[in-house]
Amino acid sequence: MSAEAAPAAAPESPAWLHWAVTHANAADIVLVFLLIGACWVVWKAQSREDFDFADMLRDDTSNKPTPLRFAIIGSFAISSWVVMHDTLANNLSDPQWIFYLVTWSGAAIMRVFAERWDGRLPWAKKE
């Protein structure tokens, strides 16, 4: 009588890999690749002699890194991911898209306008 060998048990995958495979969606995958890409770009740029990432965090007036600049960069990253996530899920509403555009492109336009404005309204009488 010949005894058949039992099949070898498959190696167990790590818990994080099992979770990633069963729960990941397209937005999560894009987010991971964007974070990896952003880290790579900052790492490559920081290794150059003529670039300092801290310059992105410096205030224009005091020339010191400020928490506000860090918060702005973080807010841009988070809001961009939310817009991308909602677009992939077909949940992006028109007001949400308009608020995103106004916040990130409108802010730069208003800054230039405020710097050049002389205090007069366009329909006011000329003195």
Side-chain angles (χ1 to χ4, degrees):
M1 169 166 129
S2 72
E4 292 186 26
E12 192 170 322
S13 63
W16 65 269
L17 182 61
H18 176 70
W19 182 89
V21 169
T22 57
H23 290 88
N25 59 29
D28 295 335
I29 293 168
V30 168
L31 175 64
V32 168
F33 279 111
L34 285 174
L35 289 174
I36 291 170
C39 289
W40 183 78
V41 166
V42 169
W43 175 67
K44 292 299 278 183
Q46 190 66 21
S47 65
R48 293 177 42 182
E49 294 286 329
D50 61 342
F51 179 81
D52 184 11
F53 185 75
D55 288 341
M56 295 178 70
L57 303 174
R58 292 189 208 290
D59 188 23
D60 295 335
T61 56
S62 67
N63 203 22
K64 294 180 182 176
T66 62
L68 177 62
R69 289 289 179 110
F70 184 76
I72 290 170
I73 292 172
S75 297
F76 177 72
I78 291 169
S79 63
S80 296
W81 181 81
V82 167
V83 167
M84 184 268 316
H85 179 271
D86 287 353
T87 300
L88 290 176
N90 276 341
N91 288 336
L92 186 67
S93 65
D94 289 340
Q96 185 181 8
W97 176 241
I98 290 168
F99 289 143
Y100 176 82
L101 288 177
V102 167
T103 300
W104 296 116
S105 62
I109 293 168
M110 288 305 294
R111 180 178 179 197
V112 170
F113 176 75
E115 288 173 351
R116 295 184 180 171
W117 188 43
D118 62 359
R120 291 182 291 150
L121 297 175
W123 56 83
K125 282 185 173 182
K126 304 260 184 198
E127 294 180 7

